[in-house]
Amino acid sequence: GPMGVYWVFFKFYDLLARFSCPPSHIMGKKQMLRLFPQLDERIKYACVFYEGQHDDARTNLSIALTAAEHGAVIANHAEVTKLLKNSEISDGSPGEGVPDNSRDSAVITGAEIRCRISGESLRVRAKSVVMCGGPFTDWLREKEANDTKITPVVNGAAGSHIVLPGYLCPSDTGMVDMATSDGRILFYLPWEGHTLVGTTDVKCSITDRPIPTEEEIKWIIDETNNYLSPQCQVTRKDVLSAWSGIRPLAGDPHAAPGAPASRDHVVSVNPTTKVVFVAGGKWTTYREMAEDAIDRLLETHPSLSTTAGPCKTLSVDLLGAEGYDRNLAVSLAKKHGLSIEVGARLARCYGGRAVDVCHVFEEIPQYKGPIVDGYPYLLAEIPYACREQARTIEDILSRRTRLSYLNLDAAYRAIPVVAEVMADTLGWSASETSRQIKEAESFLETFAGPEPAAALKAGN
Ligand SMILES: Cc1cc2nc3c(=O)[nH]c(=O)nc-3n(C[C@H](O)[C@H](O)[C@H](O)COP(=O)(O)OP(=O)(O)OC[C@H]3O[C@@H](n4cnc5c(N)ncnc54)[C@H](O)[C@@H]3O)c2cc1C
């Protein structure tokens, strides 16, 4: 593209980041190929800019665990099956600290929660209810209305990614194509020792088991190959894992007529039930989303604002910040006789809490081994993850390690090992262990590897 336009664009980007990163700059072909030898020689120049990256699953868990440290009650695998109106839950008294408007019988002041592991249900009473269902917001709104015929407000846009071997990308530099054949942006990034490429953007219906189509995978490969040298051309067989996620694109059903449509996240209050929902948005705006949702909640329940102080989340350290320092990986490697690769992964993922993971294998030495060959994940992470509410093999394969997203074959190989350690840790019976294994296998069927996804082949 035109060099001048991109230069201005990335200088503006630097400004948005308040110059907290090194400055963006233009790089000539020779230097570019030294930094990124996988690129094709036909590329004339590169604009270099800086971006943040995270392990989204760990950030998510860290936020939840930090909230728990500050007094929140959190529960994994807890499904809201019903939202309860005041008239359904109350014994007539508003209860201690319950807002005045909960005397109104249409206001929702509780929920029925089903534990997806044990199947048990319980009722929880609340001063107020906020729904944060992402793409599943309308499923929750159906429960709120106790009606399946609500007008949906969240549209789904499926985004598929493919993961390639790490050697196809430098370990600290990626590429972004701002002008693919159909105008979408394509990222080609080093991620967890691999190369992550995506994403597509396809209108889709909402499902909790999205599957990447072969058409999307082919599109990503074709676009990528436009930029890679002849030696590094990607084939379908290079795909170690491919998966799809659904972005929530939200509208506000309770907005005043003519109100401007939101560009990003939507916070909406149902005037009858007083339930607040927040949907849409990005990881980069997660804190702002939460703050906006709580502000609306306080407007809706003024009596709660008497005890609420200003939002503090900007300055609250997430779990793992304490005890972290820039040489933690080295300290862990030296103290526990770990490879620097394992030390670095523990430090990056758990921060200061990596010390607690190491305690696990100091007590049970056989847990110092890897979950699966070729990956820096330790067996010790499995019992540790169970302490942080991991309860299924899928939890370990997808959100505690990232194996299913990185390498489908390695994830399948890990299933029996993970099952054995979880069974030991959580006291699973033989039948529970085999049920868990079947569930994990059916989860992996929604991923593609060098072959199409099994669920796609089965026509699901
Ligand atoms: C392909 C893709 C690429 C993206 N790339 C980026 C990016 O580069 N940068 C960025 O900033 N953002 C990115 N995002 C956006 C970001 O991931 C989402 O905006 C974010 O995950 C939305 O968070 P959420 O908490 O609103 O929803 P979710 O993360 O979807 O969480 C909703 C939760 O509600 C739970 N739930 C649903 N129903 C119930 C029920 N009945 N009871 C209990 N729980 C329930 C679900 O299990 C789920 O855990 C991307 C998203 C996708 C899909």
Side-chain angles (χ1 to χ4, degrees):
M3 186 180 335
V5 174
Y6 283 131
W7 186 83
V8 172
F9 177 85
F10 286 118
K11 286 295 165 198
F12 179 66
Y13 209 69
D14 291 350
L15 173 74
L16 284 182
R18 295 192 199 151
F19 305 103
S20 55
C21 296
S24 61
H25 55 277
I26 306 280
M27 190 179 270
K29 183 194 281 198
K30 214 164 148 192
Q31 206 187 347
M32 174 190 82
L33 291 177
R34 208 177 303 135
L35 181 75
F36 204 142
Q38 294 88 344
L39 289 179
D40 192 70
E41 283 188 14
R42 287 172 307 159
I43 299 172
K44 294 187 191 130
Y45 69 94
C47 287
V48 181
F49 70 105
Y50 294 81
E51 263 287 5
Q53 191 180 59
H54 70 155
D55 174 348
D56 55 345
R58 187 63 205 173
T59 308
N60 194 2
L61 195 60
S62 262
I63 295 166
L65 294 168
T66 305
E69 278 203 328
H70 286 259
V73 175
I74 59 168
N76 200 6
H77 299 288
E79 180 185 356
V80 172
T81 49
K82 209 172 168 199
L83 286 164
L84 302 168
K85 291 195 185 70
N86 203 30
S87 54
E88 292 168 296
I89 200 166
S90 168
D91 54 7
S93 71
E96 194 198 336
V98 172
D100 287 347
N101 58 15
S102 67
R103 286 176 208 272
D104 181 343
S105 61
V107 170
I108 284 180
T109 50
E112 205 160 87
I113 317 272
R114 190 176 69 95
C115 171
R116 280 192 165 181
I117 306 295
S118 69
E120 283 167 38
S121 283
L122 75 128
R123 286 183 158 204
V124 178
R125 190 164 179 186
K127 293 176 186 167
S128 57
V129 173
V130 185
M131 302 192 296
C132 313
F136 314 105
T137 297
D138 286 324
W139 294 4
L140 286 164
R141 289 179 60 242
E142 284 175 5
K143 297 184 204 307
E144 180 194 5
N146 208 3
D147 185 354
T148 50
K149 288 191 218 72
I150 55 156
T151 310
V153 293
V154 175
N155 288 311
S160 291
H161 294 82
I162 63 171
V163 170
L164 304 168
Y167 54 68
L168 286 171
C169 190
S171 62
D172 57 359
T173 306
M175 169 179 72
V176 52
D177 177 4
M178 313 278 271
T180 58
S181 61
D182 62 4
R184 293 179 218 148
I185 291 179
L186 189 86
F187 292 96
Y188 185 91
L189 304 170
W191 188 62
E192 304 285 319
H194 293 65
T195 305
L196 172 67
V197 199
T199 166
T200 56
D201 198 339
V202 186
K203 202 166 177 274
C204 68
S205 50
I206 306 293
T207 160
D208 55 359
R209 286 284 191 252
I211 303 167
T213 64
E214 284 300 302
E215 198 185 332
E216 289 175 286
I217 295 172
K218 183 174 181 310
W219 181 82
I220 296 173
I221 293 175
D222 290 348
E223 294 294 331
T224 303
N225 280 337
N226 287 335
Y227 291 90
L228 296 180
S229 74
Q231 301 90 330
C232 297
Q233 290 289 298
V234 176
T235 69
R236 182 67 186 76
K237 291 271 169 241
D238 292 319
V239 176
L240 298 174
S241 182
W243 30 274
S244 182
I246 300 180
R247 302 178 189 86
L249 306 175
D252 182 356
H254 306 295
S262 163
R263 281 172 300 115
D264 202 353
H265 61 273
V266 168
V267 179
S268 173
V269 182
N270 184 325
T272 313
T273 63
K274 307 284 185 223
V275 168
V276 177
F277 83 70
V278 53
K282 307 275 287 168
W283 260 113
T284 36
T285 53
Y286 85 88
R287 234 188 30 77
E288 187 193 3
M289 287 171 73
E291 191 173 337
D292 288 352
I294 297 300
D295 285 349
R296 283 299 291 281
L297 185 146
L298 294 178
E299 277 169 29
T300 315
H301 300 283
S303 58
L304 289 177
S305 52
T306 54
T307 48
C311 177
K312 292 188 289 200
T313 50
L314 188 58
S315 58
V316 170
D317 283 343
L318 293 183
L319 185 102
E322 198 185 323
Y324 179 82
D325 69 70
R326 66 184 189 285
N327 283 316
L328 180 61
V330 175
S331 319
L332 292 170
K334 280 170 71 134
K335 180 163 181 209
H336 299 284
L338 300 168
S339 71
I340 190 63
E341 198 197 3
V342 169
R345 135 95 189 142
L346 290 174
R348 211 172 51 239
C349 179
Y350 301 99
R353 290 292 165 116
V355 172
D356 297 335
V357 180
C358 295
H359 281 157
V360 176
F361 66 70
E362 290 300 345
E363 270 169 35
I364 311 175
Q366 70 264 33
Y367 285 169
K368 200 172 173 183
I371 294 177
V372 68
D373 281 345
Y375 285 84
Y377 303 118
L378 301 184
L379 291 165
E381 292 179 67
I382 302 171
Y384 179 78
C386 292
R387 279 190 228 158
E388 291 184 342
Q389 298 201 11
R391 285 295 176 275
T392 63
I393 298 172
E394 174 188 326
D395 283 342
I396 302 291
L397 297 182
S398 66
R399 291 174 291 271
R400 310 311 170 105
T401 72
R402 310 313 305 269
L403 270 175
S404 56
Y405 296 101
L406 294 175
N407 186 327
L408 184 60
D409 176 57
Y412 272 113
R413 277 188 283 125
I415 288 180
V417 185
V418 175
E420 195 186 320
V421 178
M422 287 190 96
D424 265 2
T425 309
L426 297 171
W428 288 349
S429 64
S431 67
E432 174 63 5
T433 308
S434 55
R435 189 190 70 80
Q436 284 269 0
I437 289 175
K438 281 203 193 79
E439 291 268 311
E441 285 168 350
S442 97
F443 165 67
L444 291 185
E445 284 175 8
T446 63
F447 287 71
E451 300 284 332
L456 200 67
K457 284 190 275 185
N460 289 347

